[in-house]
Structures are given as C-alpha cells and as structure tokens.
Short mmCIF file of all heavy atoms in Angstrom, two decimals:
data_model
loop_
_atom_site.label_atom_id
_atom_site.label_comp_id
_atom_site.label_asym_id
_atom_site.label_seq_id
_atom_site.Cartn_x
_atom_site.Cartn_y
_atom_site.Cartn_z
N MET A 1 0.84 -1.18 -0.01
CA MET A 1 -0.01 0.01 0.00
C MET A 1 0.90 1.24 0.00
O MET A 1 1.86 1.34 0.72
CB MET A 1 -0.86 -0.03 1.26
CG MET A 1 -1.78 1.14 1.39
SD MET A 1 -3.02 0.88 2.65
CE MET A 1 -2.35 1.87 3.97
N ALA A 2 0.54 2.22 -0.83
CA ALA A 2 1.31 3.45 -0.92
C ALA A 2 1.12 4.28 0.33
O ALA A 2 0.06 4.32 0.92
CB ALA A 2 0.88 4.25 -2.13
N LYS A 3 2.18 4.92 0.74
CA LYS A 3 2.11 5.79 1.92
C LYS A 3 1.50 7.12 1.54
O LYS A 3 1.75 7.64 0.44
CB LYS A 3 3.51 6.02 2.47
CG LYS A 3 4.15 4.79 3.04
CD LYS A 3 5.53 5.10 3.54
CE LYS A 3 6.16 3.81 4.01
NZ LYS A 3 7.55 3.97 4.35
N ASN A 4 0.73 7.69 2.45
CA ASN A 4 0.19 9.02 2.16
C ASN A 4 1.24 10.05 2.45
O ASN A 4 2.30 9.78 3.03
CB ASN A 4 -1.13 9.27 2.91
CG ASN A 4 -0.95 9.36 4.41
OD1 ASN A 4 0.06 9.80 4.92
ND2 ASN A 4 -1.96 8.93 5.13
N THR A 5 0.98 11.28 2.05
CA THR A 5 1.94 12.34 2.17
C THR A 5 2.37 12.61 3.62
O THR A 5 3.54 12.81 3.91
CB THR A 5 1.37 13.64 1.55
OG1 THR A 5 1.06 13.37 0.18
CG2 THR A 5 2.34 14.80 1.63
N VAL A 6 1.39 12.59 4.53
CA VAL A 6 1.71 12.84 5.95
C VAL A 6 2.62 11.77 6.51
O VAL A 6 3.62 12.06 7.17
CB VAL A 6 0.42 12.97 6.79
CG1 VAL A 6 0.75 13.01 8.27
CG2 VAL A 6 -0.36 14.22 6.40
N SER A 7 2.32 10.51 6.21
CA SER A 7 3.17 9.40 6.71
C SER A 7 4.59 9.49 6.18
O SER A 7 5.55 9.31 6.92
CB SER A 7 2.56 8.06 6.33
OG SER A 7 1.31 7.87 6.93
N LEU A 8 4.71 9.76 4.89
CA LEU A 8 6.03 9.86 4.28
C LEU A 8 6.80 11.05 4.86
O LEU A 8 7.97 10.93 5.20
CB LEU A 8 5.92 10.01 2.76
CG LEU A 8 7.25 10.12 2.01
CD1 LEU A 8 8.13 8.89 2.27
CD2 LEU A 8 6.99 10.26 0.53
N ALA A 9 6.13 12.19 4.98
CA ALA A 9 6.77 13.38 5.54
C ALA A 9 7.23 13.12 6.97
O ALA A 9 8.32 13.54 7.38
CB ALA A 9 5.84 14.57 5.47
N TRP A 10 6.40 12.42 7.75
CA TRP A 10 6.75 12.11 9.15
C TRP A 10 8.01 11.23 9.18
O TRP A 10 8.91 11.48 9.97
CB TRP A 10 5.60 11.40 9.86
CG TRP A 10 5.80 11.29 11.32
CD1 TRP A 10 6.67 10.44 11.98
CD2 TRP A 10 5.18 12.05 12.35
NE1 TRP A 10 6.60 10.64 13.33
CE2 TRP A 10 5.68 11.62 13.60
CE3 TRP A 10 4.21 13.05 12.34
CZ2 TRP A 10 5.28 12.17 14.81
CZ3 TRP A 10 3.80 13.59 13.55
CH2 TRP A 10 4.32 13.13 14.77
N GLU A 11 8.06 10.23 8.32
CA GLU A 11 9.22 9.32 8.29
C GLU A 11 10.50 10.06 7.93
O GLU A 11 11.58 9.73 8.42
CB GLU A 11 8.98 8.19 7.30
CG GLU A 11 8.03 7.13 7.81
CD GLU A 11 7.89 5.98 6.84
OE1 GLU A 11 8.71 5.84 5.90
OE2 GLU A 11 6.95 5.18 7.03
N ILE A 12 10.39 11.04 7.08
CA ILE A 12 11.54 11.84 6.68
C ILE A 12 11.91 12.83 7.77
O ILE A 12 13.07 13.03 8.10
CB ILE A 12 11.27 12.57 5.36
CG1 ILE A 12 11.13 11.55 4.22
CG2 ILE A 12 12.37 13.60 5.05
CD1 ILE A 12 10.61 12.13 2.91
N ALA A 13 10.90 13.49 8.36
CA ALA A 13 11.13 14.55 9.32
C ALA A 13 11.63 14.08 10.67
O ALA A 13 12.47 14.75 11.29
CB ALA A 13 9.85 15.36 9.53
N GLU A 14 11.18 12.93 11.14
CA GLU A 14 11.50 12.49 12.50
C GLU A 14 13.00 12.34 12.74
O GLU A 14 13.54 12.89 13.70
CB GLU A 14 10.75 11.22 12.86
CG GLU A 14 10.81 10.90 14.32
CD GLU A 14 9.80 9.85 14.73
OE1 GLU A 14 9.58 8.89 13.98
OE2 GLU A 14 9.19 10.03 15.78
N PRO A 15 13.72 11.61 11.87
CA PRO A 15 15.17 11.48 12.15
C PRO A 15 15.92 12.81 12.01
O PRO A 15 16.91 13.04 12.69
CB PRO A 15 15.65 10.45 11.13
CG PRO A 15 14.57 10.29 10.15
CD PRO A 15 13.30 10.76 10.76
N ILE A 16 15.45 13.67 11.11
CA ILE A 16 16.09 14.98 10.97
C ILE A 16 15.91 15.79 12.25
O ILE A 16 16.86 16.38 12.75
CB ILE A 16 15.51 15.73 9.76
CG1 ILE A 16 15.89 15.00 8.45
CG2 ILE A 16 16.00 17.18 9.72
CD1 ILE A 16 15.16 15.49 7.23
N ALA A 17 14.69 15.79 12.76
CA ALA A 17 14.39 16.51 13.98
C ALA A 17 15.26 16.00 15.13
O ALA A 17 15.88 16.77 15.86
CB ALA A 17 12.91 16.41 14.33
N GLU A 18 15.33 14.69 15.27
CA GLU A 18 16.12 14.08 16.34
C GLU A 18 17.59 14.47 16.22
O GLU A 18 18.24 14.77 17.21
CB GLU A 18 15.95 12.58 16.35
CG GLU A 18 14.58 12.13 16.83
CD GLU A 18 14.36 10.62 16.73
OE1 GLU A 18 15.30 9.90 16.29
OE2 GLU A 18 13.26 10.18 17.07
N GLU A 19 18.10 14.43 15.00
CA GLU A 19 19.51 14.77 14.78
C GLU A 19 19.80 16.23 15.17
O GLU A 19 20.91 16.53 15.63
CB GLU A 19 19.85 14.57 13.30
CG GLU A 19 21.31 14.83 12.95
CD GLU A 19 21.60 14.55 11.48
OE1 GLU A 19 21.20 13.48 11.00
OE2 GLU A 19 22.22 15.42 10.87
N LEU A 20 18.81 17.08 15.01
CA LEU A 20 18.98 18.48 15.35
C LEU A 20 18.57 18.81 16.78
O LEU A 20 18.56 19.98 17.18
CB LEU A 20 18.16 19.36 14.38
CG LEU A 20 18.60 19.30 12.90
CD1 LEU A 20 17.62 20.07 12.03
CD2 LEU A 20 20.02 19.84 12.74
N GLY A 21 18.25 17.80 17.56
CA GLY A 21 17.87 18.01 18.96
C GLY A 21 16.45 18.54 19.10
O GLY A 21 16.13 19.19 20.11
N LEU A 22 15.61 18.26 18.13
CA LEU A 22 14.24 18.75 18.13
C LEU A 22 13.27 17.59 18.31
O LEU A 22 13.63 16.43 18.13
CB LEU A 22 13.91 19.45 16.79
CG LEU A 22 14.86 20.58 16.41
CD1 LEU A 22 14.63 20.99 14.95
CD2 LEU A 22 14.63 21.77 17.31
N VAL A 23 12.03 17.90 18.65
CA VAL A 23 10.97 16.93 18.78
C VAL A 23 9.97 17.19 17.67
O VAL A 23 9.53 18.35 17.48
CB VAL A 23 10.25 17.05 20.13
CG1 VAL A 23 9.07 16.12 20.21
CG2 VAL A 23 11.24 16.79 21.27
N LEU A 24 9.64 16.17 16.91
CA LEU A 24 8.61 16.29 15.88
C LEU A 24 7.26 16.23 16.58
O LEU A 24 6.91 15.23 17.23
CB LEU A 24 8.74 15.16 14.86
CG LEU A 24 7.76 15.18 13.71
CD1 LEU A 24 7.88 16.46 12.89
CD2 LEU A 24 7.98 13.96 12.83
N TRP A 25 6.50 17.30 16.47
CA TRP A 25 5.25 17.42 17.20
C TRP A 25 4.05 16.97 16.36
O TRP A 25 3.17 16.26 16.81
CB TRP A 25 5.07 18.88 17.65
CG TRP A 25 3.99 19.08 18.64
CD1 TRP A 25 2.78 19.59 18.41
CD2 TRP A 25 4.04 18.74 20.02
NE1 TRP A 25 2.04 19.63 19.56
CE2 TRP A 25 2.82 19.11 20.59
CE3 TRP A 25 5.00 18.18 20.85
CZ2 TRP A 25 2.51 18.94 21.92
CZ3 TRP A 25 4.70 18.01 22.18
CH2 TRP A 25 3.49 18.38 22.70
N ASP A 26 4.02 17.41 15.08
CA ASP A 26 2.89 17.05 14.22
C ASP A 26 3.26 17.33 12.77
O ASP A 26 4.14 18.13 12.49
CB ASP A 26 1.66 17.87 14.60
CG ASP A 26 0.35 17.29 14.08
OD1 ASP A 26 0.37 16.16 13.53
OD2 ASP A 26 -0.69 17.94 14.23
N VAL A 27 2.58 16.63 11.87
CA VAL A 27 2.70 16.86 10.43
C VAL A 27 1.29 16.96 9.87
O VAL A 27 0.46 16.09 10.12
CB VAL A 27 3.46 15.72 9.73
CG1 VAL A 27 3.49 15.94 8.22
CG2 VAL A 27 4.87 15.59 10.26
N VAL A 28 1.03 18.04 9.16
CA VAL A 28 -0.32 18.27 8.60
C VAL A 28 -0.18 18.61 7.12
O VAL A 28 0.65 19.43 6.74
CB VAL A 28 -1.01 19.44 9.34
CG1 VAL A 28 -2.37 19.74 8.74
CG2 VAL A 28 -1.10 19.16 10.81
N PHE A 29 -1.01 17.98 6.31
CA PHE A 29 -1.08 18.31 4.87
C PHE A 29 -2.55 18.60 4.58
O PHE A 29 -3.38 17.71 4.61
CB PHE A 29 -0.59 17.13 4.04
CG PHE A 29 -0.52 17.40 2.56
CD1 PHE A 29 0.30 18.39 2.06
CD2 PHE A 29 -1.26 16.62 1.67
CE1 PHE A 29 0.38 18.63 0.71
CE2 PHE A 29 -1.15 16.86 0.30
CZ PHE A 29 -0.37 17.86 -0.20
N GLU A 30 -2.84 19.89 4.35
CA GLU A 30 -4.24 20.25 4.19
C GLU A 30 -4.43 21.31 3.12
O GLU A 30 -3.50 22.06 2.79
CB GLU A 30 -4.81 20.74 5.52
CG GLU A 30 -4.12 21.96 6.09
CD GLU A 30 -4.52 22.25 7.51
OE1 GLU A 30 -5.42 21.59 8.04
OE2 GLU A 30 -3.91 23.16 8.11
N LYS A 31 -5.65 21.32 2.60
CA LYS A 31 -5.99 22.26 1.57
C LYS A 31 -6.54 23.54 2.22
O LYS A 31 -7.37 23.48 3.12
CB LYS A 31 -7.04 21.67 0.65
CG LYS A 31 -7.36 22.51 -0.55
CD LYS A 31 -8.26 21.81 -1.51
CE LYS A 31 -8.43 22.70 -2.73
NZ LYS A 31 -9.26 22.05 -3.74
N GLU A 32 -6.02 24.66 1.73
CA GLU A 32 -6.52 25.96 2.11
C GLU A 32 -6.78 26.74 0.84
O GLU A 32 -5.82 27.07 0.12
CB GLU A 32 -5.52 26.69 3.01
CG GLU A 32 -5.40 26.11 4.39
CD GLU A 32 -4.46 26.92 5.27
OE1 GLU A 32 -4.10 28.06 4.93
OE2 GLU A 32 -4.08 26.38 6.32
N GLY A 33 -8.01 27.01 0.56
CA GLY A 33 -8.34 27.64 -0.72
C GLY A 33 -8.03 26.70 -1.85
O GLY A 33 -8.40 25.53 -1.81
N ALA A 34 -7.29 27.19 -2.83
CA ALA A 34 -6.95 26.36 -3.98
C ALA A 34 -5.65 25.59 -3.81
O ALA A 34 -5.30 24.78 -4.64
CB ALA A 34 -6.85 27.25 -5.23
N ASN A 35 -4.93 25.83 -2.69
CA ASN A 35 -3.60 25.26 -2.51
C ASN A 35 -3.55 24.27 -1.33
O ASN A 35 -4.31 24.40 -0.38
CB ASN A 35 -2.58 26.36 -2.25
CG ASN A 35 -2.48 27.32 -3.40
OD1 ASN A 35 -2.34 26.94 -4.55
ND2 ASN A 35 -2.58 28.62 -3.11
N TYR A 36 -2.61 23.33 -1.44
CA TYR A 36 -2.32 22.42 -0.32
C TYR A 36 -1.04 22.89 0.36
O TYR A 36 -0.11 23.36 -0.29
CB TYR A 36 -2.11 20.98 -0.84
CG TYR A 36 -3.40 20.28 -1.15
CD1 TYR A 36 -3.97 20.37 -2.40
CD2 TYR A 36 -4.02 19.50 -0.19
CE1 TYR A 36 -5.16 19.72 -2.68
CE2 TYR A 36 -5.22 18.84 -0.45
CZ TYR A 36 -5.77 18.96 -1.71
OH TYR A 36 -6.94 18.31 -1.97
N TYR A 37 -1.01 22.72 1.69
CA TYR A 37 0.16 23.12 2.47
C TYR A 37 0.60 21.97 3.36
O TYR A 37 -0.23 21.33 3.99
CB TYR A 37 -0.17 24.32 3.35
CG TYR A 37 -0.45 25.57 2.55
CD1 TYR A 37 -1.76 25.87 2.17
CD2 TYR A 37 0.57 26.41 2.17
CE1 TYR A 37 -2.02 27.02 1.43
CE2 TYR A 37 0.32 27.56 1.43
CZ TYR A 37 -0.98 27.85 1.06
OH TYR A 37 -1.26 28.96 0.32
N LEU A 38 1.91 21.73 3.38
CA LEU A 38 2.50 20.76 4.27
C LEU A 38 3.12 21.54 5.42
O LEU A 38 4.00 22.38 5.19
CB LEU A 38 3.58 19.91 3.56
CG LEU A 38 4.31 18.91 4.44
CD1 LEU A 38 3.34 17.83 4.93
CD2 LEU A 38 5.46 18.28 3.66
N ARG A 39 2.65 21.28 6.62
CA ARG A 39 3.18 21.99 7.81
C ARG A 39 3.74 20.97 8.78
O ARG A 39 3.11 19.96 9.09
CB ARG A 39 2.07 22.80 8.47
CG ARG A 39 1.65 23.97 7.64
CD ARG A 39 0.71 24.87 8.41
NE ARG A 39 0.40 26.07 7.63
CZ ARG A 39 -0.67 26.20 6.86
NH1 ARG A 39 -1.56 25.24 6.82
NH2 ARG A 39 -0.88 27.30 6.19
N ILE A 40 4.94 21.25 9.23
CA ILE A 40 5.61 20.38 10.18
C ILE A 40 5.86 21.20 11.44
O ILE A 40 6.44 22.29 11.38
CB ILE A 40 6.92 19.83 9.61
CG1 ILE A 40 6.57 19.03 8.34
CG2 ILE A 40 7.65 19.00 10.64
CD1 ILE A 40 7.76 18.51 7.59
N PHE A 41 5.40 20.67 12.56
CA PHE A 41 5.54 21.36 13.83
C PHE A 41 6.64 20.70 14.65
O PHE A 41 6.61 19.47 14.84
CB PHE A 41 4.20 21.30 14.60
CG PHE A 41 3.09 21.98 13.86
CD1 PHE A 41 2.34 21.31 12.92
CD2 PHE A 41 2.80 23.32 14.10
CE1 PHE A 41 1.32 21.94 12.23
CE2 PHE A 41 1.79 23.98 13.42
CZ PHE A 41 1.02 23.28 12.49
N ILE A 42 7.61 21.50 15.09
CA ILE A 42 8.74 21.02 15.86
C ILE A 42 8.80 21.77 17.18
O ILE A 42 8.27 22.87 17.31
CB ILE A 42 10.07 21.17 15.07
CG1 ILE A 42 10.25 22.62 14.61
CG2 ILE A 42 10.14 20.18 13.91
CD1 ILE A 42 11.57 22.90 13.92
N ASP A 43 9.49 21.19 18.13
CA ASP A 43 9.67 21.83 19.43
C ASP A 43 10.97 21.34 20.03
O ASP A 43 11.59 20.41 19.54
CB ASP A 43 8.50 21.47 20.34
CG ASP A 43 8.36 22.43 21.52
OD1 ASP A 43 9.08 23.44 21.58
OD2 ASP A 43 7.51 22.15 22.40
N LYS A 44 11.38 21.99 21.11
CA LYS A 44 12.52 21.55 21.90
C LYS A 44 12.45 22.22 23.25
O LYS A 44 11.75 23.25 23.41
CB LYS A 44 13.86 21.84 21.21
CG LYS A 44 14.27 23.29 21.21
CD LYS A 44 15.65 23.45 20.60
CE LYS A 44 16.08 24.91 20.68
NZ LYS A 44 17.42 25.12 20.10
N ASP A 45 13.17 21.70 24.22
CA ASP A 45 13.23 22.34 25.52
C ASP A 45 13.75 23.76 25.37
O ASP A 45 14.73 23.97 24.67
CB ASP A 45 14.16 21.56 26.47
CG ASP A 45 13.57 20.23 26.94
OD1 ASP A 45 12.33 20.07 26.83
OD2 ASP A 45 14.33 19.38 27.41
N GLY A 46 13.08 24.69 25.96
CA GLY A 46 13.49 26.08 25.85
C GLY A 46 12.87 26.80 24.66
O GLY A 46 13.06 27.99 24.48
N GLY A 47 12.19 26.06 23.80
CA GLY A 47 11.53 26.67 22.64
C GLY A 47 12.37 26.62 21.39
O GLY A 47 13.58 26.44 21.41
N VAL A 48 11.70 26.78 20.29
CA VAL A 48 12.33 26.74 18.96
C VAL A 48 12.52 28.16 18.48
O VAL A 48 11.63 28.99 18.58
CB VAL A 48 11.42 25.96 17.97
CG1 VAL A 48 11.97 26.01 16.57
CG2 VAL A 48 11.26 24.52 18.44
N GLY A 49 13.70 28.42 17.94
CA GLY A 49 13.98 29.73 17.35
C GLY A 49 14.04 29.65 15.83
O GLY A 49 13.95 28.58 15.24
N ILE A 50 14.20 30.79 15.22
CA ILE A 50 14.24 30.86 13.76
C ILE A 50 15.40 30.05 13.19
O ILE A 50 15.26 29.45 12.11
CB ILE A 50 14.26 32.32 13.27
CG1 ILE A 50 14.02 32.42 11.78
CG2 ILE A 50 15.57 33.00 13.63
CD1 ILE A 50 12.62 32.10 11.35
N ASP A 51 16.52 29.98 13.89
CA ASP A 51 17.65 29.20 13.42
C ASP A 51 17.32 27.73 13.39
O ASP A 51 17.72 27.00 12.47
CB ASP A 51 18.90 29.44 14.26
CG ASP A 51 19.45 30.86 14.08
OD1 ASP A 51 19.18 31.50 13.04
OD2 ASP A 51 20.15 31.31 15.00
N ASP A 52 16.58 27.25 14.41
CA ASP A 52 16.14 25.84 14.44
C ASP A 52 15.23 25.57 13.24
O ASP A 52 15.37 24.53 12.57
CB ASP A 52 15.37 25.54 15.73
CG ASP A 52 16.23 25.70 16.97
OD1 ASP A 52 17.33 25.20 17.00
OD2 ASP A 52 15.73 26.38 17.90
N CYS A 53 14.32 26.47 12.99
CA CYS A 53 13.37 26.29 11.88
C CYS A 53 14.13 26.26 10.55
O CYS A 53 13.83 25.44 9.69
CB CYS A 53 12.35 27.42 11.86
SG CYS A 53 11.22 27.39 13.27
N GLU A 54 15.09 27.15 10.39
CA GLU A 54 15.85 27.19 9.15
C GLU A 54 16.68 25.92 8.94
O GLU A 54 16.67 25.35 7.84
CB GLU A 54 16.79 28.41 9.13
CG GLU A 54 17.60 28.51 7.88
CD GLU A 54 18.58 29.67 7.86
OE1 GLU A 54 18.69 30.39 8.88
OE2 GLU A 54 19.25 29.83 6.85
N MET A 55 17.36 25.47 9.98
CA MET A 55 18.16 24.23 9.86
C MET A 55 17.28 23.04 9.53
O MET A 55 17.60 22.23 8.66
CB MET A 55 18.95 23.96 11.13
CG MET A 55 20.13 24.88 11.32
SD MET A 55 21.20 24.44 12.73
CE MET A 55 20.07 24.60 14.09
N PHE A 56 16.16 22.92 10.23
CA PHE A 56 15.25 21.82 9.96
C PHE A 56 14.69 21.91 8.55
O PHE A 56 14.67 20.93 7.82
CB PHE A 56 14.08 21.80 10.98
CG PHE A 56 13.11 20.72 10.67
CD1 PHE A 56 13.36 19.41 11.12
CD2 PHE A 56 12.00 20.95 9.90
CE1 PHE A 56 12.48 18.40 10.78
CE2 PHE A 56 11.12 19.94 9.56
CZ PHE A 56 11.37 18.64 10.00
N SER A 57 14.22 23.10 8.17
CA SER A 57 13.64 23.27 6.85
C SER A 57 14.59 22.91 5.72
O SER A 57 14.20 22.22 4.78
CB SER A 57 13.16 24.72 6.68
OG SER A 57 12.56 24.91 5.43
N ARG A 58 15.82 23.36 5.82
CA ARG A 58 16.81 23.05 4.77
C ARG A 58 17.08 21.55 4.67
O ARG A 58 17.12 20.99 3.57
CB ARG A 58 18.09 23.81 5.01
CG ARG A 58 17.97 25.29 4.77
CD ARG A 58 19.29 26.02 5.05
NE ARG A 58 19.13 27.44 5.05
CZ ARG A 58 19.24 28.23 3.99
NH1 ARG A 58 19.50 27.68 2.82
NH2 ARG A 58 19.07 29.53 4.08
N ALA A 59 17.25 20.91 5.82
CA ALA A 59 17.53 19.46 5.82
C ALA A 59 16.32 18.68 5.31
O ALA A 59 16.45 17.72 4.54
CB ALA A 59 17.91 18.99 7.23
N PHE A 60 15.14 19.07 5.76
CA PHE A 60 13.91 18.38 5.34
C PHE A 60 13.66 18.55 3.85
O PHE A 60 13.34 17.59 3.16
CB PHE A 60 12.71 18.90 6.14
CG PHE A 60 11.43 18.25 5.74
CD1 PHE A 60 11.12 16.96 6.20
CD2 PHE A 60 10.53 18.88 4.92
CE1 PHE A 60 9.94 16.35 5.82
CE2 PHE A 60 9.37 18.28 4.54
CZ PHE A 60 9.06 17.00 4.99
N GLU A 61 13.82 19.77 3.37
CA GLU A 61 13.61 20.05 1.95
C GLU A 61 14.49 19.18 1.06
O GLU A 61 14.04 18.63 0.05
CB GLU A 61 13.85 21.54 1.67
CG GLU A 61 13.56 21.94 0.25
CD GLU A 61 13.77 23.43 0.07
OE1 GLU A 61 13.20 24.24 0.83
OE2 GLU A 61 14.52 23.78 -0.86
N GLU A 62 15.75 19.05 1.43
CA GLU A 62 16.67 18.25 0.67
C GLU A 62 16.20 16.80 0.60
O GLU A 62 16.24 16.17 -0.46
CB GLU A 62 18.07 18.31 1.31
CG GLU A 62 19.13 17.59 0.52
CD GLU A 62 20.50 17.74 1.16
OE1 GLU A 62 20.87 18.88 1.52
OE2 GLU A 62 21.18 16.72 1.31
N GLU A 63 15.74 16.25 1.71
CA GLU A 63 15.32 14.85 1.73
C GLU A 63 13.97 14.63 1.06
O GLU A 63 13.80 13.67 0.34
CB GLU A 63 15.24 14.37 3.20
CG GLU A 63 16.57 14.18 3.83
CD GLU A 63 17.48 13.18 3.07
OE1 GLU A 63 16.99 12.09 2.72
OE2 GLU A 63 18.64 13.52 2.84
N ILE A 64 13.03 15.51 1.26
CA ILE A 64 11.69 15.30 0.68
C ILE A 64 11.72 15.49 -0.84
O ILE A 64 10.96 14.86 -1.57
CB ILE A 64 10.60 16.17 1.33
CG1 ILE A 64 9.23 15.53 1.04
CG2 ILE A 64 10.65 17.59 0.88
CD1 ILE A 64 8.24 15.63 2.10
N ASP A 65 12.65 16.32 -1.33
CA ASP A 65 12.76 16.50 -2.76
C ASP A 65 13.20 15.23 -3.47
O ASP A 65 12.92 15.03 -4.65
CB ASP A 65 13.72 17.63 -3.11
CG ASP A 65 13.10 19.01 -2.93
OD1 ASP A 65 11.84 19.07 -2.75
OD2 ASP A 65 13.82 20.02 -2.95
N LYS A 66 13.87 14.33 -2.76
CA LYS A 66 14.30 13.07 -3.33
C LYS A 66 13.10 12.20 -3.67
O LYS A 66 13.09 11.54 -4.70
CB LYS A 66 15.22 12.32 -2.37
CG LYS A 66 16.57 12.95 -2.18
CD LYS A 66 17.39 12.20 -1.17
CE LYS A 66 18.69 12.90 -0.86
NZ LYS A 66 19.45 12.22 0.20
N ASP A 67 12.08 12.18 -2.81
CA ASP A 67 10.90 11.36 -3.03
C ASP A 67 9.79 12.12 -3.77
O ASP A 67 8.97 11.51 -4.45
CB ASP A 67 10.32 10.86 -1.66
CG ASP A 67 11.23 9.88 -1.02
OD1 ASP A 67 11.77 9.01 -1.71
OD2 ASP A 67 11.40 9.96 0.23
N ASP A 68 9.75 13.43 -3.63
CA ASP A 68 8.79 14.31 -4.25
C ASP A 68 7.36 13.79 -4.18
O ASP A 68 6.70 13.57 -5.19
CB ASP A 68 9.17 14.55 -5.71
CG ASP A 68 8.46 15.74 -6.31
OD1 ASP A 68 7.99 16.59 -5.53
OD2 ASP A 68 8.38 15.82 -7.55
N PRO A 69 6.85 13.60 -2.96
CA PRO A 69 5.50 13.04 -2.80
C PRO A 69 4.38 14.07 -2.99
O PRO A 69 3.21 13.70 -3.03
CB PRO A 69 5.50 12.55 -1.34
CG PRO A 69 6.39 13.54 -0.67
CD PRO A 69 7.47 13.84 -1.67
N ILE A 70 4.73 15.32 -3.11
CA ILE A 70 3.68 16.34 -3.17
C ILE A 70 3.51 16.81 -4.62
O ILE A 70 4.42 17.12 -5.29
CB ILE A 70 4.03 17.55 -2.28
CG1 ILE A 70 4.18 17.09 -0.86
CG2 ILE A 70 2.99 18.64 -2.40
CD1 ILE A 70 4.71 18.11 0.11
#
C-alpha cells in the first residue's frame, strides 16, 4: 500500500528533527483555498527559534525532494 503524504513526511522529518535536537510534534497536509500546504511542527526544551526552523527546513527540503510526494 502506498504511503500518504503525511506518513512519508513524518518518516523523513523525524530522524532529521532528532539529529537536530528537536521533537517532531505534528505533520499536517491540508488544503486551504486552492492550494495544499505541508506543515511540520517542531519543538525543543526552551523553545524553537528561527535558526532551528531554518536548519530543519533546509535538511527536510533536501530529503523530501528526493521522493517528491507532493
């Protein structure tokens, strides 16, 4: 059975988050208006800053582009 977008994104995001000392909180893929959005929620002790978001986003983007599920 093919994996849905959320499941695949979670599998990709979780090890990246762990490697960066982050916790993967949620993955949501939903339609808003005419567009779909993939949102990944991360956290860590002390809170997440913009640098955490940038590091995670760059690493995640590189990996998800390999599978291109969206």
Side-chain angles (χ1 to χ4, degrees):
M1 179 167 103
K3 293 180 184 172
N4 67 33
T5 302
V6 170
S7 296
L8 180 58
W10 191 287
E11 285 184 14
I12 293 169
E14 193 166 41
I16 293 169
E18 288 175 2
E19 183 177 312
L20 296 173
L22 304 167
V23 175
L24 182 61
W25 193 255
D26 198 7
V27 176
V28 178
F29 184 61
E30 60 191 354
K31 187 173 184 177
E32 289 184 14
N35 299 310
Y36 281 89
Y37 294 91
L38 177 65
R39 291 189 175 96
I40 299 175
F41 299 87
I42 54 175
D43 199 6
K44 73 176 183 180
D45 288 341
V48 175
I50 191 71
D51 292 336
D52 298 311
C53 293
E54 180 182 4
M55 286 187 299
F56 177 84
S57 181
R58 289 179 190 272
F60 179 79
E61 184 178 306
E62 184 177 313
E63 289 301 313
I64 200 144
D65 281 349
K66 292 177 185 176
D67 292 318
D68 196 20
I70 301 172

